[in-house]
Structures are given as structure tokens and as C-alpha cells.
Amino acid sequence: MVGEQLRPVPLQELRYLEDGRHWHIDQPIAGLASLTPVRGQLHATHRGNVLEVKGEAETIVTLCCDRCLQHFNHPLRASNQELLWIGEPVPNSSDSIATVGAPDDSGLMEQLDPRGNFDPEHWVFEQLNLLLPIVNHCGKDCPGPVTWSSEGSSGDPRWRGLQGLGS
């Protein structure tokens, strides 16, 4: 469906769509502060006991460099295919829609409640959010940290003992 907003869809509805459901993505994603709308496509197909999800999405986010504290733009491009297990919720789980667990209880596969929904916007958010860098670095031309010493000063006297160690 072209131009449709990414809204949760009941898994029971997806079950009866032979070709699955297709979304064209061109919108902001909740929880992801991006400069541009997220653009791409997503396809979800119900395959009995698994939901096959394939998608591509891209956007640009603004990050703050951990070294020089300047802001810079960083592109995010996700392309992923995932199988989500459809089964009864894991006992003692507070979230009946998406819980961690697998058919063999190994915990290696995400599990969806068959009576629940698939949230395509959240899936796209997760794929892009996983690509955010742990350390933000603006690039090879980073000026580095700003110095705190003033002219005519030899710096903080507490560091003098360490200056001789570097020679």
C-alpha cells in the first residue's frame, strides 16, 4: 500500500493476505530525531508460525562529536530481513505483544503474540537505532578538544609531574 502511514497491523489480518503487506516509507519515525523523513520500504509476510519482515530505510541524524563537541550530520541506512516467531506469550511476561523467547525457549528469537499486532514503525525504529554509533566522531578532520589553558600560563600545575614522563 503506497503512501500508507506505518501503523500497527493485527497479525490475524496479515495471516489472510497471501502476498503480505507492503509499506512505502516516507515519514518521521517516533523516537528517532532525524533531520529528514525516513524513506524506504517494508514488507511483512505471515508464514504460519513466523512473520517474515524485509525492509530498507534511510535517513540523516544530527549527532554531537564526543571529541570536539561539534554537531555533524550522520547518514543511517538499514537493510534487513528478519523472521519473528509467532507463538503464545512467554509466561510471566508483562508485554503480551512482543516478548523475548523462541519455540525452544533459547531466547534467541523475538516472539509475537498471535493475537497481537506487528508494529512496522517500531521495527524500522529498531533497525535504524541499532546503527547509531556508540562513539560519535565527526571525522578525520576533527579539530579535537578545545584547550582550556590561557596564554602565558603553563597549564594546571597538578599536571607538571606528568609532563616529564612523556619525554
Side-chain angles (χ1 to χ4, degrees):
M1 298 185 169
V2 177
E4 180 184 354
Q5 291 285 12
L6 298 177
R7 288 187 173 50
V9 59
L11 290 172
Q12 292 299 321
E13 183 181 313
L14 284 173
R15 175 182 229 161
Y16 298 109
L17 298 174
E18 186 176 319
D19 294 331
R21 190 135 186 208
H22 186 81
W23 292 269
H24 174 74
I25 307 167
D26 190 4
Q27 69 181 62
I29 297 294
L32 183 70
S34 60
L35 238 116
T36 62
V38 174
R39 293 186 175 94
Q41 58 186 339
L42 180 65
H43 192 84
T45 308
H46 196 293
R47 305 237 185 254
N49 61 350
V50 295
L51 182 68
E52 180 182 13
V53 184
K54 298 179 197 176
E56 297 176 355
E58 62 181 35
T59 191
I60 299 172
V61 294
T62 300
L63 302 174
C64 181
C65 180
D66 293 332
R67 193 161 178 242
C68 69
L69 302 179
Q70 296 297 313
H71 288 88
F72 66 99
N73 294 338
H74 180 75
L76 295 177
R77 288 183 186 86
S79 179
N80 203 359
Q81 179 174 349
E82 185 175 24
L83 296 176
L84 305 174
W85 177 256
I86 300 172
E88 292 301 317
V90 175
N92 301 325
S93 173
S94 61
D95 184 359
S96 63
I97 294 178
T99 59
V100 176
D104 63 358
D105 291 328
S106 67
L108 299 177
M109 184 183 271
E110 186 170 353
Q111 181 174 324
L112 300 173
D113 183 340
R115 298 172 303 268
N117 299 322
F118 168 67
D119 187 347
E121 182 175 10
H122 187 71
W123 190 85
V124 171
F125 166 80
E126 287 176 341
Q127 304 312 306
L128 291 171
N129 202 46
L130 286 170
L131 296 174
L132 288 171
I134 294 172
V135 176
N136 297 326
H137 190 252
C138 63
K140 64 179 181 175
D141 296 328
C142 179
V146 179
T147 59
W148 288 86
S149 62
S150 55
E151 285 187 31
S153 171
S154 61
D156 189 331
R158 294 174 288 181
W159 292 103
R160 284 193 194 126
L162 295 176
Q163 289 175 344
L165 296 176
S167 304

